[in-house]
Amino acid sequence: MSSTMRCFWVEKSESGEIRAEVTEKPCSVLDQAKSDAPRVRIRVNLSSLNYKDALAATGHPGIVRHFPHIPGIDAVGAVVHSDSSDFSVGEEVLVTGNDLGVGHFGAWAEMIDVPAEWVLPLPKTLSPLEAMTLGTAGFTAAQCVQALIAHEITPDRGSIVVTGATGGVASVSIEILRKLGYSITAVTGKQEHHQALLDRGVDQVVTRSDFIDQTKRPLLGGKYAGGVDTVGGSMLETVLRSTAYRGCVTACGLTGGADLNITVHPFILRGITLCGIDSAMCPLPKRKVIWEKLAGEWKLAGLESLATQVPLEQTPAWVQRILAGGVSGRVVVGL
């Protein structure tokens, strides 16, 4: 096994300047202070690019806790060493979320060393590419759909509105909802993607500027049975005010803002449920259930068509693209 690894290395100088590059580092950098808990070392084959990774790659203080840093919140690869009897050398495994790529060196590296409790066997019915096409985005999408189902939002109740419709979470949400027979209204600011969304089976596409309601009315017409909001801010406010009686809206993003300026009327007059979706620290038992669904009854045909594969060396350019809103679907990073 090589004593060095390629990785995306992020540093902060004494003057506060952030420097990031794809470079070679000794594998010994992974030997950080560790607890006595069992560890697993994994040779990473594929990772992915999420908005959170792009923030980490640029040293965003809300994401990166310590420097130097390696981004990458998703990984699939083969075990090269395990302190745990649950995993054997050569076994294909999957790691998403937890503290990977945030407070812990992430998966934009040829090697990671993580607590065994973060690791799951790669489901037999998912290829490594399919697993990373899903990644945290797919995992989040599946949690959103599961929340709608748990709140009895069935296909016969009406349309589900999905915001940020060309993003990673929204793209997978649309595919799962379509597989389960839901009617879907997609909201996007990218006019050029309207036809592609319709071709994917979305029933209606609404332009972001036409969708967001800037009035102060506490309630709007109840058009939607539920929603998957990946944007936040005024978009989420409009979704909540537009959701029908006893509907459910899931929230998992904040690219449109972290503030929520809304009255309690949707909640106390229509009985709307706002369901927050957190993927990073999702408990292991629930995490297993979600991945079983993604690999089983919710497995998507042609999943790879949602992904663009790029080598690690091209990630700096793709980081800028996703931050500028220029990425559609999922980006898989090859190591």
Side-chain angles (χ1 to χ4, degrees), residues 130-300:
E130 288 175 323
M132 286 297 94
T133 301
L134 292 167
T136 290
F139 181 76
T140 302
Q143 285 194 89
C144 290
V145 175
Q146 187 181 56
L148 295 177
I149 293 171
H151 286 87
E152 301 179 345
I153 311 300
T154 49
D156 62 306
R157 291 275 299 270
S159 184
I160 305 299
V161 59
V162 180
T163 66
T166 63
V169 174
S171 293
V172 182
S173 296
I174 286 169
E175 294 301 319
I176 297 173
L177 289 167
R178 193 167 63 89
K179 182 180 180 71
L180 298 179
Y182 286 86
S183 172
I184 303 164
T185 299
V187 182
T188 178
K190 300 174 181 176
Q191 183 80 32
E192 67 275 16
H193 288 281
H194 281 209
Q195 189 57 52
L197 286 164
L198 291 170
D199 290 344
R200 285 173 51 200
V202 164
D203 297 274
Q204 181 184 16
V205 182
V206 182
T207 302
R208 178 175 58 205
S209 58
D210 292 336
F211 180 82
I212 294 176
D213 185 279
Q214 302 287 4
T215 70
K216 300 300 181 182
R217 286 178 290 175
L219 290 172
L220 303 171
K223 297 180 180 179
Y224 310 110
V228 174
D229 178 65
T230 71
V231 178
S234 57
M235 182 75 80
L236 177 56
E237 294 163 16
T238 301
V239 172
L240 287 166
R241 291 187 291 147
S242 303
T243 300
Y245 183 70
R246 289 286 172 178
C248 175
V249 176
T250 64
C252 61
L254 47 67
T255 58
D259 293 333
L260 190 61
N261 300 308
I262 194 169
T263 70
V264 298
H265 289 86
F267 310 110
I268 65 174
L269 295 183
R270 286 187 179 164
I272 305 302
T273 297
L274 174 58
C275 187
I277 304 296
D278 165 55
S279 292
M281 305 311 293
C282 179
L284 185 60
K286 184 174 182 179
R287 191 177 292 274
K288 288 179 176 178
V289 169
I290 292 293
W291 277 106
E292 286 170 2
K293 284 185 175 293
L294 287 169
E297 59 185 302
W298 290 0
K299 189 173 190 301
L300 301 174

Side-chain angles (χ1 to χ4, degrees), residues 79-164:
V79 174
V80 296
H81 174 80
S82 177
D83 298 332
S84 169
S85 59
D86 292 338
F87 303 100
S88 56
V89 173
E91 181 179 1
E92 287 193 303
V93 293
L94 173 69
V95 184
T96 61
N98 293 286
D99 211 24
L100 189 68
V102 181
H104 189 285
F105 279 167
W108 287 8
E110 291 180 315
M111 207 76 67
I112 57 173
D113 193 290
V114 298
E117 61 187 13
W118 294 6
V119 184
L120 290 173
L122 179 67
K124 300 296 184 186
T125 57
L126 287 179
S127 70
L129 178 56
E130 288 175 323
M132 286 297 94
T133 301
L134 292 167
T136 290
F139 181 76
T140 302
Q143 285 194 89
C144 290
V145 175
Q146 187 181 56
L148 295 177
I149 293 171
H151 286 87
E152 301 179 345
I153 311 300
T154 49
D156 62 306
R157 291 275 299 270
S159 184
I160 305 299
V161 59
V162 180
T163 66

